[in-house]
Every structure is written in structure tokens, then in C-alpha cells.
Amino acid sequence: MNIVLLGVSIFLLFQAISGSSNNYVEEVFKWKKVEFEYSTDLDNTYVGPYRYHIPENENIVSMGYHPASGLIVVSFLRTRPGIPTTLGAFCASEYAFGSSPVIWRFPNPYVNELRSSDFEYYIDNEGRKHFNPLLKYRKNQWEDTLHSKYEKDFYNGSQVPLKLEDEYSSEIQRIVSVFQLTMDEKCNRLFFVDNGRITYNKSITYAIQKPALVVVGLPITACHIRNFPIVRRVEFPDKIADKGPDGYTFVTLDYQSSDSCDGLYLYIPNIFYNFITVYDYKKNEFWTFDHETFNPVLAESFFIFDKTLKYEAPLGILNIALGYPDENGDKLAYYTKVSGTAQYAVSTKVLKDKSKSDVNYNSKDFKIKGYLGCNHQTLKTVIDYTYGVMFYSEFQSNQIRCWNMSKPLNPDNIGVVYESDDLKIGSQLFIDSLGYLWFHSSYLSLVYFSDLPLNLDEFTTKMFRMKVSDVLKGTICYDERYIL
């Protein structure tokens, strides 16, 4: 064997052993200081007691991509002051890979704005309430017009004529603080929960409105029009909002029919209060589930960010990934918790049954499926149904990992498809309809668990993508029966 072939063989052997497929990764966009599209005259103004714009506090914590329109939507969790918008967007086709796009406010310029009156009511770190007695949660009126002309027109394929100043100036349309995003390519819409509260420096919480499920329509021509209708907004019932006033994260969509946009259930974990909210989209009904497997493991709640910041984060269930449907259309709902390295599953047959909500179920329905390995706490999981592989974005390992679901779940059967110090916190992970696995690196731990400012001289948020069919090669997740 000549020296070149020997070198190639050694490289391929090392890649197979390490499981890393970094050579397939594309760095799509990245940011040091996030630039927003608005008047710079606002930079030195104040909203309540806080500056409108503080760049060293602004970090993109989640993102979603809509291939049909070319739109990328991003979120800024309002855990610090000086964040002018909790949702932003840009047209991906307008920027080269590796650049830093300018963010405009989404779904329009009005709904994300904070007001001085928002800061008249706050809760201090000892739980004491301070507020103007005249300021209360805004009344939700959307349920009275749930199937409004906007939702009906959007699903019928009509462009929705909106006068933004009129339609979005009402209280019921406001969006306060969003953590994670779920893109729905099937019906061209974006799902998220507005937690309705902002917490600054972990000590003061301003309760502006109740948590609400929000659905934004994404017309395929709207990227350049920048006119995105809120097709549904429904506040969580008091029983659920009182149980978990914030902490709502990813929204998992469980379609029951291939030809319906409203025949689906939504599963929404709460990372702070450790329960799952289920929403029947068609019937407009909510219920919850509690189980001990949703709770954090205190012994696995200690983390290190970027090799320097040590902190404790006893966080529970964060994300749900759905397996293949059985003959009845039910699926296994796989879940982990941030503070824990075990993976569990429960049938959606249980979750969809409102009569079993709260604790009216057989506890044995919630089963452990295996372990991910020491220090491999997971933020987001997603399943590629073509190859039967689950992918994991992790909290502190600087890795994206994979598991071939036909094998037992244990560390020996988990591979690595990406590993780099460029991946700080894998705060988002999804697969688009084009077969790309997207993942997003943020400084979430720094902006949430510390008071340290972002270093605006370094890239603190990055978006990556890689073809699923490519990255599995050379890993233990590879199955030659499915990969060409």
C-alpha cells in the first residue's frame, strides 16, 4: 500500500472510531454584535428603568428555517434588559454563508415592543410582589374569534390583507419573551410559546401577561413582504398558568391526519415546573401531565460552560421527540431532562387521553429507554425517519451525537456527528424538508446563569447545517441498508 492510500485509510479509521463528521458541516451564519434594522435613535432611549438597546446582553438562543419562503426566524429570550425584540427574522438568500445578517423584527415591527407600563409590576427574588394596582394581566380575547378570518383565509391560501398598526396594536397581540421555535413545513406556520414574563438578572420578574401559544402563518411569498399574520393566539388556562407561570420551551407537533392542518396535538414541556402541557388544536383544549421522570436529577445538575463558568441548573423536561406511528397512529414520545442523562418514553396514546391527565394514569406507562452517558445532558432531540436515527444536541459536551434506534440505547451505541469548541450550547436542533440537520450554538448559559456581558469581539452565536445522508457515514449510527 502506498503512503497516500495508507494515510487515507488511517484517516477513515480515525473518523469511524471518533464518529465525528465535521468535514460535512457548513457554517451558515454567525454573529458577534447583533445588528437590528431600526432607527439608531432608539439606542440611548429608555423603556421603564432600562436602556432600550444593550448589545452585550443580546444573544440569539434559537432559530428556525422555512425553506419554502427562505425565511430564518430567531429568538432572543428576555433574561436581561436591553433586548429590543424577542423575535427577529431575515431572508437567508440575501446573505452569503459565514456572514452576519441584519435582523428585523418579526412578525412585524410592533408586537415585540416593551412599554414603560410593563415595569410597574414585578416580583423580587424573595417572591414579594410590587405593582401598580391598576395594572393587571391583559384580558385574552382571541378565543372569542379563534377561527378568525385570518386563520381561515390563511389555510385557504389567501394573502391576508393587514393594516399592521391597527391589527397589532391591541394588547392581545403582544409577544413578550420567547425561548424556542418550532417550524411547521407541512402547513407553513411557526409555533412558539410566549412566556409573557421577563426576568432580569435572575432577581426581578415582570409579569406582563399570561403564557400563550402563538401560531404565525408563513406565506411562501412573505419573506420580502414582511407581513406575517398571527393566525392563532390562545392563552393558557389559569389552572396551567398558575401551575407554571413561565418555563415553556419547545412545542412538539403530533399530526393525526396527513390532509389536515388542525388535526393535531401539541406537547409543551415546562423546564422549571416539570410537567407537560397537551393542547388539542382542533378542540382548543388544554391539559397537563406530571410524572417523577420529568424532574431534574440534582446530582446531574452541575455544569461548566466554555471551560470557565461553573453553575448549578436543576432543570427538568425540555423537549419531546416522536417515534414512528403504530397501526393505531400512536407514537412513542421520547424525552430527557436537562439535569439528567437517562432517556424515557411514553405512548402518545396516554398523552392524548385527557381523562388520564395530571396523575390519572398508570405510572408504568412512563418507561426508561436507556442512558446517554456521563456528562451528556441533552437540550434537544430530533429523529430522522428516513434513516431511523435520533440526534442529540447537548448542554456541555460540544457535540452533536446520534443513536441508531434499532440498537439498544447505551453509550456504546451512540456516535458523534459533530464535535468542536465552536459549539458552545447546542440550543436548537432540527431537520428540514431538504434533508439538512440544522443546529445552533449560543451563549445561553452565560446570558441566563451569570451577569457577565457578552464579548462583542468574538462570535457568540453560530448556525450550522449538514446533510443527514453524509454525516452518518463513518459513525456507529451508519446503516448501509439505508445510506447510498
Side-chain angles (χ1 to χ4, degrees):
M1 180 180 293
N2 64 43
I3 191 68
V4 174
L5 290 178
L6 178 61
V8 171
S9 299
I10 292 174
F11 169 77
L12 292 176
L13 177 61
F14 175 77
Q15 186 184 35
I17 294 172
S18 68
S20 178
S21 303
N22 287 23
N23 50 313
Y24 293 114
V25 174
E26 297 175 291
E27 185 180 83
V28 186
F29 300 114
K30 57 186 177 181
W31 290 263
K32 294 179 180 178
K33 176 184 176 182
V34 177
E35 298 289 346
F36 293 98
E37 186 181 282
Y38 65 84
S39 172
T40 55
D41 294 340
L42 293 170
D43 281 358
N44 294 317
T45 62
Y46 281 75
V47 181
Y50 304 105
R51 275 176 50 205
Y52 180 83
H53 183 208
I54 305 176
E56 57 270 25
N57 284 350
E58 300 161 356
N59 192 227
I60 298 172
V61 297
S62 185
M63 54 85 62
Y65 175 55
H66 185 237
S69 64
L71 183 77
I72 287 183
V73 184
V74 298
S75 66
F76 301 82
L77 187 62
R78 277 177 163 145
T79 60
R80 293 182 175 191
I83 298 174
T85 183
T86 188
L87 289 177
F90 60 92
C91 298
S93 62
E94 296 180 355
Y95 296 92
F97 275 22
S99 64
S100 305
V102 176
I103 307 297
W104 35 268
R105 288 169 287 185
F106 177 89
N108 62 69
Y110 307 102
V111 296
N112 290 271
E113 290 181 349
L114 295 177
R115 306 169 185 174
S116 294
S117 60
D118 294 334
F119 301 96
E120 295 171 5
Y121 171 18
Y122 70 90
I123 304 169
D124 66 22
N125 58 355
E126 296 182 2
R128 295 186 298 252
K129 295 182 179 180
H130 308 261
F131 60 96
N132 179 339
L134 298 178
L135 184 70
K136 300 181 183 296
Y137 278 137
R138 278 57 167 168
K139 175 178 172 55
N140 178 37
Q141 303 168 11
W142 191 261
E143 291 184 50
D144 297 335
T145 56
L146 184 61
H147 296 286
S148 67
K149 63 186 180 69
Y150 300 117
E151 189 163 18
K152 290 178 180 178
D153 287 351
F154 180 73
Y155 293 147
N156 289 333
S158 303
Q159 287 291 333
V160 183
L162 296 178
K163 295 181 180 179
L164 294 180
E165 296 87 344
D166 297 334
E167 298 295 343
Y168 291 112
S169 62
S170 63
E171 298 289 355
I172 64 170
Q173 298 287 3
R174 298 187 65 199
I175 301 173
V176 177
S177 186
V178 177
F179 184 9
Q180 293 292 353
L181 307 170
T182 298
M183 193 67 69
D184 176 19
E185 290 193 56
K186 171 181 167 63
C187 293
N188 295 310
R189 52 192 177 178
L190 179 73
F191 288 78
F192 57 86
V193 173
D194 172 19
N195 282 280
R197 297 156 69 96
I198 51 180
T199 300
Y200 289 160
N201 301 322
K202 299 180 295 182
S203 59
I204 296 179
T205 297
Y206 297 94
I208 298 171
Q209 57 192 27
K210 289 196 296 185
L213 172 70
V214 184
V215 186
V216 179
L218 301 177
I220 61 175
T221 59
C223 185
H224 299 280
I225 300 173
R226 302 188 189 181
N227 191 348
F228 301 91
I230 296 178
V231 297
R232 183 176 295 201
R233 180 190 185 276
V234 55
E235 289 186 350
F236 286 30
D238 289 344
K239 181 180 178 181
I240 298 178
D242 292 341
K243 180 178 182 177
D246 59 357
Y248 298 95
T249 56
F250 292 99
V251 177
T252 299
L253 309 180
D254 185 10
Y255 276 100
Q256 305 301 295
S257 171
S258 60
D259 59 356
S260 171
C261 283
D262 63 358
L264 76 159
Y265 292 86
L266 280 58
Y267 311 122
I268 309 170
N270 190 298
I271 192 175
F272 295 154
Y273 299 93
N274 313 316
F275 64 91
I276 295 174
T277 296
V278 182
Y279 177 60
D280 185 330
Y281 196 87
K282 193 169 189 177
K283 294 182 178 178
N284 186 36
E285 293 181 348
F286 288 90
W287 58 90
T288 63
F289 281 87
D290 296 89
H291 194 266
E292 60 185 10
T293 57
F294 304 163
N295 299 332
V297 178
L298 297 183
E300 296 180 296
S301 301
F302 299 91
F303 301 95
I304 300 176
F305 172 73
D306 203 23
K307 303 176 183 178
T308 56
L309 176 63
K310 297 181 180 180
Y311 61 99
E312 182 179 4
L315 302 173
I317 183 172
L318 174 65
N319 168 243
I320 292 172
L322 300 180
Y324 294 94
D326 61 19
E327 63 276 8
N328 298 315
D330 299 317
K331 311 172 181 91
L332 278 182
Y334 293 90
Y335 61 94
T336 59
K337 46 232 183 165
V338 173
S339 298
T341 55
Q343 182 166 287
Y344 304 86
V346 61
S347 173
T348 58
K349 181 179 180 180
V350 176
L351 299 180
K352 291 183 294 185
D353 189 345
K354 186 178 180 179
S355 69
K356 295 183 182 297
S357 62
D358 294 326
V359 293
N360 300 317
Y361 52 78
N362 185 340
S363 185
K364 294 181 180 179
D365 289 334
F366 298 79
K367 300 177 181 179
I368 191 165
K369 303 300 290 185
Y371 290 93
L372 305 177
C374 183
N375 294 325
H376 285 288
Q377 292 92 332
T378 297
L379 268 176
K380 179 73 185 294
T381 56
V382 65
I383 295 173
D384 185 283
Y385 300 105
T386 300
Y387 303 116
V389 171
M390 181 179 290
F391 293 94
Y392 305 88
S393 65
E394 300 192 333
F395 209 62
Q396 63 177 353
S397 71
N398 308 115
Q399 294 177 341
I400 303 295
R401 299 204 300 164
C402 63
W403 165 51
N404 189 312
M405 299 170 66
S406 66
K407 300 177 180 180
L409 177 57
N410 59 57
D412 291 338
N413 288 327
I414 298 177
V416 178
V417 297
Y418 180 79
E419 181 174 16
S420 172
D421 286 342
D422 282 344
L423 182 61
K424 302 302 182 183
I425 292 287
S427 56
Q428 175 62 293
L429 183 77
F430 62 88
I431 299 171
D432 68 18
S433 59
L434 303 178
Y436 283 98
L437 175 70
W438 290 75
F439 57 101
H440 174 69
S441 173
S442 74
Y443 273 47
L444 175 62
S445 293
L446 183 78
V447 298
Y448 192 85
F449 295 104
S450 82
D451 297 327
L452 299 172
L454 293 170
N455 182 351
L456 300 182
D457 292 326
E458 64 182 28
F459 291 103
T460 56
T461 183
K462 295 183 178 182
M463 297 176 185
F464 304 88
R465 73 173 190 178
M466 47 191 180
K467 273 283 191 179
V468 172
S469 56
D470 290 333
V471 300
L472 294 178
K473 297 175 182 178
T475 73
I476 197 171
C477 306
Y478 175 89
D479 191 329
E480 61 184 8
R481 293 176 298 173
Y482 302 110
I483 302 179
L484 301 178

